Amino acid sequence: MRLEHPVSEHKPRGETIPSLAADTVRIIPLGGVEEIGRNMVAVEFGDDIFVIDAGFQFSEAETPGIDYILPNTGYLEERRHKIRGIIITHGHLDHVGAIPYIIERIGNPPIYTRRLTAEIIKKRQEEFASAQPIVIREVERGEAVKLGATTLRFFNVTHTVPDSMGVIIETPWGDVVHTGDIKLDHTDGVPSEAEVHEFSIFRERKVLLLMMDSTNVDRQGFSIPEHVVFNTLEELITHTNGRIILGTFASQLERLIHIVRVSEEMGRKIVVDGRSMKTNLDIARQLGLLKFKDGSFIQTENMGEYPPEKIIVLATGAQGDEFASLMRIANRAHKYITLTPKDTIILSSSVIPGNERAVQKMKDNLSRQGAHIITYQTSDVHSSGHGNKGEALWLHMQIRPQFFIPVHGYHYMLRVHCDVSIEAGTKPENCIVPDNSAIIEIKNGEKITRLPMKAPSELRVVEGHSVTELSDVLMRDRKALGQEGFAVVVVTVDRRTGKLHKSPDIISRGFVYLRDNKDLMDQTRLIIRKSVETSMKNPRAADLDSARDDLAEAVSRFLLQRTMKRPIVIPVIVSV
Amino acid sequence: MRLEHPVSEHKPRGETIPSLAADTVRIIPLGGVEEIGRNMVAVEFGDDIFVIDAGFQFSEAETPGIDYILPNTGYLEERRHKIRGIIITHGHLDHVGAIPYIIERIGNPPIYTRRLTAEIIKKRQEEFASAQPIVIREVERGEAVKLGATTLRFFNVTHTVPDSMGVIIETPWGDVVHTGDIKLDHTDGVPSEAEVHEFSIFRERKVLLLMMDSTNVDRQGFSIPEHVVFNTLEELITHTNGRIILGTFASQLERLIHIVRVSEEMGRKIVVDGRSMKTNLDIARQLGLLKFKDGSFIQTENMGEYPPEKIIVLATGAQGDEFASLMRIANRAHKYITLTPKDTIILSSSVIPGNERAVQKMKDNLSRQGAHIITYQTSDVHSSGHGNKGEALWLHMQIRPQFFIPVHGYHYMLRVHCDVSIEAGTKPENCIVPDNSAIIEIKNGEKITRLPMKAPSELRVVEGHSVTELSDVLMRDRKALGQEGFAVVVVTVDRRTGKLHKSPDIISRGFVYLRDNKDLMDQTRLIIRKSVETSMKNPRAADLDSARDDLAEAVSRFLLQRTMKRPIVIPVIVSV
């Protein structure tokens, strides 16, 4: 992929951002605090800026036709000489997805991350052929890395992909701690020994500021720990008689590694069906995170050589993605997999909001073929990678920060997280709920404030080959077109007589089905003729612009009145 | 509202449907068995057809620009002389919404329903000025109504709106029973005495066939009974200090009636903000279902005359509907209501799939203003009107049908409901999972089969003033336009020389923002010129059609290659 039309350099607008005082730590969440996704935070003090994560957000209904939404890095672009590095907490797209699109713009600083994450980033970078080489420094849990005058440390966090970590940035006023995405390994709400041990490091540390994942803090208690999911899946893989088709996210790498191990133990051959899953398992294999015997994995096309009860298919598309493996199976469009009533389908995933209809359709079509379907609604076959309120509370108790800024979530979730922090002992005046590009400062380690101005915050988006600023006009037009369609009216007019040369043409798409509406079209032609011939009598009409405006308005008004639809009307008047 | 372009009479296509044998009961679910919504079932035997419910479905992402989807009544239109009546189980739109659009087409048969439902139907019919008068016969629980040779009986069911009922159609081979939407009133899974009493009627009856709501049967156990929700809301209304703003569905009429009673007892003045809620409460008042003292309800604009702790606002828009009361409050666009941190907002509703983003945005904007928000996720302030698996199982045990057809739900849910029925004792071969317009026959009360052919099943939709058959082309175009936009290219060509008169015009909307893409436009003009001038050299070009096709293809290909976008390209060539 080659990026074209990179967005023009950021031009500062509005209020000037004051320069940073020597006694101040500045925190700017550049994304991920008004949404789930596009996570990025800048931490600035002295002459240094540290960037934590560089994720993107998948486009939703509000941004039709857009591929991804990026954090706005305008603030960093103006200060690229200060950037000492990007710390990436783990290898999910909402934490690494923006790297190819922003890294050159902020001066190609080195990336600090753990091994698996590094491989995921490198693999992805291969798709961007013309990009400058990136610099990655691998770090490890417990390691201390000196960047400029500052020491960074890393700690292990439980999430759903190996090598997930949190970061400690040692400032002169205490630690700035960012957990990344986090949940806890626990049994009935009692954190595991490993968790207790990992977070015991904070007993000896003075934490100035904590930033923590807020995705699920509005849920009560503790989330289902992944080991319960492992056990459930192990039971199912062991006791199911026929073929198993298991759908999950390719990003659920820890779970996939576990499933591979159990399947192998149970003598099932493993079929991996889906490119992203293959890529991730391949990286895990290369790094020694995934070990298996020769012959345990087989090709999809060779499935027929084994009895069904000796097969497990790991499939992508549990979200109802149109072209992914599970959807093709559901739609009877899969080259090698045809369901039978003896098959068991395990959907080891939740439904991402917005995908309900697609997943429902997939389940309907799978169940039409008689397969038995197991979902997270009736069995513990999935758990979120983000901790609930109980976990957040426990973590706050261990880290005991002086100041708190919730990240990773919608505003409402961040506000709930502030309440949790206060419940854990943080002073209410020491919690700030940020917006994207808010500039928050901690002065002399004593007082947290939010500046009245913001860092650049216009939405930046990826669409096809382009990185651009989101155009509201474009979005409004697409939404209108997607509901109402458009109509082009073409008129050839005699410039001397002001009369139409022939009957006007009307070309419409997405409006109403014209074949069924001949009367409407005939009446519209009359309206067109009348509008244009009236305009042409007017001496202003020489430039045709006002005639075009009048024509568009007359046709729009008529069509609205007759159909209650508001197609975009494009008037074409050719004078000959 | 005046309906235009009614869909043309149904013309039978495909296989002929055999005529009905004298020993057979025919069941045709015409909607609501592949989706939630547009519920309608036809029950036919002897010379009679009974129609149960006439709902519509709100349009979703798959049908952009469409307002509602209707059941296809083609089968009924051809047999309108046999229709003895429409039985409406309750007054929600997925059960009454289609009435104005279909009733004349099926011969304006009388409607049988209970009092509140009758009023809701009449009120709605007022919006259709040119419609024929409808005939409604009010029936009561326990009443026996003779229609032609057949007796119909009605029983009470628990749902979320008063006067919800199920129906018993007495056939020569036993009862055909349809529950309508149903849940149970219960305490910890033990149904109330009233429920036990109501369903005890089935002890003495021989039920040939049961049709039952499947919406929530894939959920375990019993649903939260409404009296728990009442108690939670009562606690909140009693113990909250400041103003309460309570958002719920206008269709939750039982809950609204209860809230009004409790609020009045606690001395709170009641403000109703939202048209649909006002309409429904007004109907309930007229029928004596809602009683209150003079002065208990106040106008929104008079709220300032009372202290906040003496006020409760009942607001529409808990689904994040753009122009409803709660959203206007969230967006600080409400004329009379401005939030303060002392306000408590209760969202007494779940989130309908597809509305997650809108509701999230609303919660974010409400919480930005500091109000305390209580949702069903953290408190029992809402419960579904549809029973879980435990309730379905209990009902099956009471009704003990010989045959079972699940209705109201997606295919997967219906299949799960069949499993529940079999668990309750129904023979597997006596359960059929239907599709919309499936023709199912019970012969001589002994054997259930599904015919190989279907009743007419094309999607019928309401769009603006029109009732039409859904056009796949239109939907495909709208989806494409909503993502990719369109470009009109206008060329004036000299018919003698085959040369362009002037530089081509390119008008695009929803494609890329042209201002930022001057180069792209210049290059596209070259492509246009080349394509047209090449075409015009060809003698075939006389009719311009092939020149247009070539031009559209050349431009589409070039734009795709340069932008990865596929706008719809409309070529306009005027030869002069």
Side-chain angles (χ1 to χ4, degrees), chain B residues 274-289:
Chain B
R275 197 175 71 101
S276 53
M277 211 177 259
K278 273 186 186 143
T279 304
N280 281 1
L281 284 172
D282 207 46
I283 294 173
R285 183 189 54 75
Q286 284 166 27
L287 298 186
L289 294 165

Side-chain angles (χ1 to χ4, degrees), chain B residues 50-67:
Chain B
F50 305 94
V51 179
I52 302 171
D53 287 333
F56 67 41
Q57 180 188 5
F58 285 97
S59 179
E60 289 170 357
E62 282 304 289
T63 47
I66 297 298
D67 299 316

Side-chain angles (χ1 to χ4, degrees), chain B residues 35 38 63 69-70 72 457-461 468-470:
Chain B
E35 59 275 315
R38 60 175 155 126
T63 47
I69 306 173
L70 305 176
N72 185 320
S457 63
E458 295 75 20
L459 279 188
R460 289 200 181 160
V461 296
T468 59
E469 244 172 48
L470 188 74

Side-chain angles (χ1 to χ4, degrees), chain B residues 3-8 68 70-71 100-102 105 128 460-470:
Chain B
L3 293 180
E4 296 210 10
H5 338 295
V7 62
S8 51
Y68 316 116
L70 305 176
Y101 303 105
I102 60 101
R105 305 169 58 80
F128 296 81
R460 289 200 181 160
V461 296
V462 179
E463 175 163 24
H465 291 308
S466 308
V467 178
T468 59
E469 244 172 48
L470 188 74

Side-chain angles (χ1 to χ4, degrees), chain A residues 1 4-5 33-34 36 57 60 62 64-67 218-220 352-354 356-357 360-361 363-365 367-375 377-378 410-413 415 419 434-435 450 463-466 468-469 471 473-474 476-479 481-486 488 490 492 505 507-513 516-517 520 548 560-565 568-572 574 576, chain B residues 1 4-5 33-34 36 57 60 62 64-67 218-220 352-354 356-357 360-361 363-365 367-375 377-378 410-413 415 419 434-435 450 463-466 468-469 471 473-474 476-479 481-486 488 490 492 505 507-513 516-517 520 548 560-565 568-572 574 576:
Chain A
M1 200 187 301
E4 297 209 11
H5 338 296
V33 295
E34 296 180 36
I36 302 284
Q57 179 189 7
E60 291 170 356
E62 281 304 290
I66 297 298
D67 298 318
D218 60 343
R219 301 188 189 173
Q220 299 297 305
I352 294 175
E356 291 83 2
R357 283 290 163 268
Q360 185 64 55
K361 201 168 155 188
K363 279 161 71 178
D364 287 352
N365 286 340
S367 82
R368 268 175 204 285
Q369 298 170 65
H372 180 51
I373 304 175
I374 297 168
T375 74
Q377 278 155 319
T378 49
Y410 291 91
H411 185 87
Y412 173 73
M413 299 167 184
R415 198 163 274 276
D419 293 340
D435 294 308
R450 175 191 197 142
E463 173 162 24
H465 291 307
S466 307
T468 59
E469 243 172 49
S471 157
V473 174
L474 204 61
R476 202 182 52 214
D477 281 351
R478 284 186 189 161
K479 284 177 206 169
L481 286 168
Q483 299 276 322
E484 317 279 324
F486 72 90
V488 182
V490 183
T492 319
D505 281 328
I507 308 153
S508 88
R509 300 291 283 273
F511 165 48
V512 296
Y513 206 40
D516 298 343
N517 286 280
L520 179 65
R548 280 193 195 96
L560 172 63
Q561 178 205 327
R562 283 298 305 275
T563 64
M564 282 176 71
K565 305 288 293 178
I568 292 181
V569 175
I570 304 287
V572 175
V574 180
V576 293
Chain B
M1 200 187 302
E4 296 210 10
H5 338 295
V33 296
E34 296 180 36
I36 302 282
Q57 180 188 5
E60 289 170 357
E62 282 304 289
I66 297 298
D67 299 316
D218 61 342
R219 302 189 189 171
Q220 299 297 306
I352 294 174
E356 291 83 359
R357 284 290 164 266
Q360 186 63 57
K361 201 168 158 189
K363 279 161 71 178
D364 286 354
N365 287 341
S367 83
R368 268 176 206 285
Q369 297 170 64
H372 180 53
I373 303 176
I374 297 168
T375 74
Q377 278 155 321
T378 49
Y410 290 93
H411 186 87
Y412 173 74
M413 299 168 184
R415 199 163 273 278
D419 292 342
D435 295 308
R450 176 190 194 141
E463 175 163 24
H465 291 308
S466 308
T468 59
E469 244 172 48
S471 157
V473 174
L474 203 61
R476 203 180 56 214
D477 282 350
R478 284 186 189 162
K479 284 178 205 170
L481 287 168
Q483 298 276 320
E484 317 278 325
F486 72 89
V488 181
V490 183
T492 319
D505 280 329
I507 306 153
S508 88
R509 300 291 284 272
F511 165 46
V512 296
Y513 205 40
D516 298 343
N517 286 281
L520 179 66
R548 282 193 193 96
L560 173 63
Q561 177 204 327
R562 283 296 307 275
T563 63
M564 284 175 70
K565 304 289 294 180
I568 292 180
V569 175
I570 304 288
V572 175
V574 180
V576 292

Side-chain angles (χ1 to χ4, degrees), chain A residues 30-31 38 55-57 68-73 97-99 101-102 458-462 467-468:
Chain A
L30 293 165
R38 60 173 155 125
F56 67 41
Q57 179 189 7
Y68 316 118
I69 306 172
L70 306 175
N72 185 320
T73 47
I99 294 174
Y101 303 105
I102 61 103
E458 295 75 19
L459 279 187
R460 287 197 183 163
V461 297
V462 179
V467 179
T468 59

